[in-house]
Amino acid sequence: MDRRSLFVEVGESPDAWIGRYGKQVDVNAKNHGLKFYSLDWIAKNPGQLTVRNGSSEIQLDVVLGAMGTFDDEYPGEGLSKIVITTGLSRGETIAHDEARQQFFALLKKIQNAGWKRWIYPGDPRLSGEESFRYQIAEDDTFYSLDQSYLPPLGTWMKLSDRSQWKFFLNDAVLSVRFSRDQDRMKSDLPGAYIVWLELESKNEVQRSEFQGEERRKWKTLYPGARQKQLAERAKQEKKLQARGYKVDANYKNPDE
């Protein structure tokens, strides 16, 4: 099989993966209600994988693994979540400044493929340097940083593991996160990085707001939850403005 022919897309059926990749797919059906389908490569010979979303494509060249989640309760939705693990270079280590530039080159590739920044509706709308200032001050790794701002190396080194950038396109949310070896954090010496791309269907993102019986009623309950989120956003923005932050009032979530 041509390595470049491999692709994944949220909403595909697990059978589509197995049909294309056969025994390459490892199936874990031990968890009640959920099944996991995995593709794996070794670090010395990483894979190449295309992330598809309609006509949009993102080519990844140093892929270590991809795992899709299938929820038995929503069989018609196919794989509602796909997590891809990738490196920034083929070597074990990479200079921190090069990692910073390679990571933002990936974010640029994602933007060029049509994905737009998505901020959790309950979080404040902060752009550029302000988003990094807030995330670092609050140590809020769930906050969606602004992909259009390339931070200086000093700011990059202050970011916590699992810092993330979130995007939206065609009823799917894409989260991009990184982790680095905490024993290799001197900015003038090589570091070691892993990057995760997590794709989720819009339905799965909205369902995740609820637990138990409420989760089964998510379509009815979500509009009310969204209004509460937006009210919380307004509350947070007012507090931050009082602390000197500049809120980006022009930002609108791409799923609105």
Side-chain angles (χ1 to χ4, degrees):
M1 180 186 299
D2 180 359
R3 293 167 71 202
R4 286 189 176 273
S5 70
L6 272 67
F7 69 90
V8 295
E9 184 169 6
V10 165
E12 284 192 280
S13 72
D15 289 342
W17 274 31
I18 294 172
R20 287 200 303 273
Y21 312 130
K23 293 182 179 180
Q24 282 185 269
V25 182
D26 179 70
V27 182
N28 180 346
K30 297 177 182 178
N31 296 274
H32 179 69
L34 297 176
K35 295 183 179 69
F36 302 96
Y37 298 80
S38 301
L39 294 165
D40 294 293
W41 293 265
I42 60 174
K44 291 182 179 180
N45 189 27
Q48 293 175 313
L49 192 67
T50 299
V51 176
R52 289 185 179 176
N53 184 343
S55 61
S56 172
E57 293 190 350
I58 305 165
Q59 177 70 42
L60 304 173
D61 296 318
V62 194
V63 179
L64 302 176
M67 184 177 73
T69 301
F70 180 81
D71 190 332
D72 290 336
E73 196 164 348
Y74 305 98
E77 294 187 16
L79 297 171
S80 58
K81 180 187 294 186
I82 300 173
V83 179
I84 301 165
T85 307
T86 182
L88 291 174
S89 67
R90 289 183 175 270
E92 179 184 352
T93 62
I94 182 173
H96 287 289
D97 194 49
E98 182 180 353
R100 175 181 70 102
Q101 296 179 53
Q102 290 290 348
F103 186 85
F104 275 84
L106 171 61
L107 297 183
K108 184 65 174 178
K109 185 186 293 188
I110 291 168
Q111 292 179 81
N112 289 342
W115 294 81
K116 305 296 183 185
R117 185 187 181 198
W118 187 84
I119 303 175
Y120 180 73
D123 285 344
R125 296 167 296 172
L126 302 171
S127 296
E129 185 178 0
E130 292 284 83
S131 70
F132 285 79
R133 175 189 167 197
Y134 169 79
Q135 195 263 22
I136 292 170
E138 302 297 322
D139 194 23
D140 183 359
T141 56
F142 290 99
Y143 188 72
S144 175
L145 290 161
D146 186 351
Q147 75 281 356
S148 67
Y149 175 74
L150 176 62
L153 180 59
T155 300
W156 170 256
M157 297 304 295
K158 291 178 182 177
L159 292 174
S160 300
D161 268 11
R162 305 283 177 154
S163 293
Q164 66 179 315
W165 292 253
K166 296 175 88 66
F167 302 85
F168 185 89
L169 176 67
N170 296 336
D171 289 339
V173 173
L174 168 62
S175 301
V176 187
R177 298 172 290 147
F178 72 85
S179 179
R180 51 192 165 196
D181 186 343
Q182 294 302 303
D183 292 329
R184 299 176 179 178
M185 288 296 292
K186 292 184 178 180
S187 60
D188 57 340
L189 295 175
Y193 287 75
I194 289 291
V195 174
W196 292 276
L197 291 87
E198 180 177 284
L199 295 127
E200 288 186 276
S201 68
K202 180 180 178 180
N203 285 353
E204 182 60 27
V205 170
Q206 293 183 357
R207 279 196 296 266
S208 68
E209 293 293 320
F210 309 100
Q211 301 294 327
E213 289 300 317
E214 286 192 340
R215 182 175 169 87
R216 294 185 174 88
K217 304 173 184 177
W218 67 275
K219 283 188 177 181
T220 300
L221 296 175
Y222 184 76
R226 183 67 171 247
Q227 290 305 309
K228 290 180 180 178
Q229 292 166 357
L230 294 174
E232 178 62 23
R233 168 180 282 177
K235 180 180 176 181
Q236 293 297 323
E237 289 179 348
K238 186 175 182 180
K239 289 181 178 179
L240 290 174
Q241 285 175 318
R243 290 164 52 189
Y245 283 88
K246 183 179 179 181
V247 170
D248 183 2
N250 292 321
Y251 173 86
K252 289 186 178 180
N253 276 69
D255 58 337
E256 291 180 8

